[in-house]
Amino acid sequence: MTTTAKALADLKERLKSSDRMPLVFLGHGSPMNAIEDNAYSRSWEELGRALPRPQAILVVSAHWMTHGTTLVDVSALPRTIHDFRGFPPELHAAQYPAHGDPELAREVVSLLASHHAEGDDTWGLDHGAWSVLARLYPEADVPVFQLSIDMSKDLDWHLTIGKDLADLRSKGVLILGSGNVVHNLRTMRWGGKPYDWAEEFDGYFAKNLENRNLAALADRKAMGSLFTMAQPTPDHYLPALTIAGLSDDKDRLTFMNDSIDIASVSMRSFIFH
């Protein structure tokens, strides 16, 4: 049994007694994972079978970036956004026809009033959301909506914004972050071993998350040039901070997919439960 398979088997056993929804962060990597049969897509399918059935899903994706505002998708039928180029026609044709949850989404707007959140009905589901949801819940039969990431805010802000959403976990809402702990496409290479700095930052993140030293994960100055290499722009990192910040001392941590793809993209995923 692989490390990820064992982690998922243990997770499934522990979730039987859970009275609130887990928190999930998935390293989503290439959008091709939505249609390819590989170790990552299979692990997401297995995770979907292990998780308790949610009433709704709130996604924090690296690919909905706003500046100076936090938006919540309140549309009833969120569109499938193909926000990429250079991929095969079958990926561009893929659809994820899940319903939204406008009532719950507007409740989230209210919960985030101190963060000046606003409702939005123009976005939908970007590939950071639907490429993993297509594997977790392939029938698209769970309502889903997205929360944007405000790129004008510092790392600390993203670590704390989720605290106002914590009560949703006891209402059957799965909060899902989607990004990559290491994401440097400028240096990607096919078939090569991971860069030392990619493995170093991935390990740094995992160690501090496991030790509950969340402040270290948001200390950009202390992380220095290592953070800059791992995240030339922090969009793929911010959803991981939001999910980490939502967790509390009651949670147990499970890692999965702790590998580096194309030398510079960490597929590390984690579940708090």
Side-chain angles (χ1 to χ4, degrees):
M1 184 180 288
T2 66
T3 302
T4 291
K6 185 179 186 304
L8 288 172
D10 292 344
L11 174 68
K12 189 172 185 178
E13 190 64 30
R14 292 170 189 160
L15 286 174
K16 288 180 180 179
S17 60
S18 176
D19 60 354
R20 59 179 183 167
M21 293 298 295
L23 301 165
V24 178
F25 174 81
L26 295 181
H28 68 243
S30 168
M32 287 297 292
N33 292 323
I35 61 172
E36 287 184 342
D37 178 26
N38 58 43
Y40 303 127
S41 61
R42 288 192 295 272
S43 74
W44 299 342
E45 290 169 354
E46 183 62 28
L47 177 61
R49 290 189 287 268
L51 291 170
R53 178 78 174 178
Q55 299 298 310
I57 304 167
L58 170 58
V59 181
V60 184
S61 166
H63 294 282
W64 191 11
M65 292 174 278
T66 49
H67 295 267
T69 187
T70 300
L71 298 181
V72 183
D73 180 12
V74 299
S75 59
L77 293 170
R79 64 193 178 100
T80 303
I81 305 171
H82 299 89
D83 48 343
F84 42 70
R85 294 180 296 174
F87 289 95
E90 54 265 40
L91 186 63
H92 286 271
Q95 295 291 315
Y96 192 75
H99 286 256
D101 193 329
E103 183 177 351
L104 179 59
R106 291 189 177 92
E107 181 180 336
V108 170
V109 173
S110 297
L111 290 173
L112 297 178
S114 62
H115 298 278
H116 309 291
E118 300 176 20
D120 175 88
D121 62 2
T122 65
W123 189 249
L125 299 174
D126 57 55
H127 83 264
W130 67 260
S131 69
V132 296
L133 290 171
R135 297 297 191 166
L136 290 172
Y137 303 103
E139 300 301 318
D141 52 357
V142 181
V144 58
F145 61 102
Q146 286 194 223
L147 173 71
S148 76
I149 52 174
D150 185 349
M151 297 295 290
S152 70
K153 305 297 185 182
D154 60 20
L155 300 184
D156 279 331
W157 188 91
H158 292 275
L159 190 63
T160 59
I161 185 175
K163 293 297 184 185
D164 292 331
L165 304 175
D167 287 346
L168 294 176
R169 297 179 66 184
S170 60
K171 297 180 179 180
V173 180
L174 175 66
I175 304 177
L176 168 67
S178 178
N180 294 97
V181 169
V182 177
H183 187 263
N184 189 335
L185 297 184
R186 302 170 189 173
T187 59
M188 68 178 183
R189 60 188 180 196
W190 301 99
K193 60 173 290 189
Y195 291 102
D196 290 344
W197 51 261
E199 292 187 317
E200 182 181 354
F201 187 79
D202 183 65
Y204 172 90
F205 180 91
K207 179 181 178 180
N208 282 291
L209 188 65
E210 198 161 23
N211 292 338
R212 306 294 298 160
N213 187 5
L214 303 188
L217 301 180
D219 191 342
R220 190 191 292 256
K221 184 177 181 180
M223 292 184 286
S225 60
L226 183 62
F227 180 79
T228 305
M229 284 299 297
Q231 296 284 344
T233 60
D235 41 287
H236 278 68
Y237 187 69
L238 300 180
L241 285 185
T242 298
I243 297 301
L246 258 163
S247 66
D248 59 39
D249 292 339
K250 299 176 184 177
D251 285 310
R252 298 180 67 175
L253 174 64
T254 295
F255 286 115
M256 55 181 280
N257 293 342
D258 51 349
S259 60
I260 307 290
D261 197 21
I262 56 175
S264 60
V265 173
S266 169
M267 296 298 290
R268 179 177 295 279
S269 303
F270 56 88
I271 304 100
F272 283 107
H273 51 95

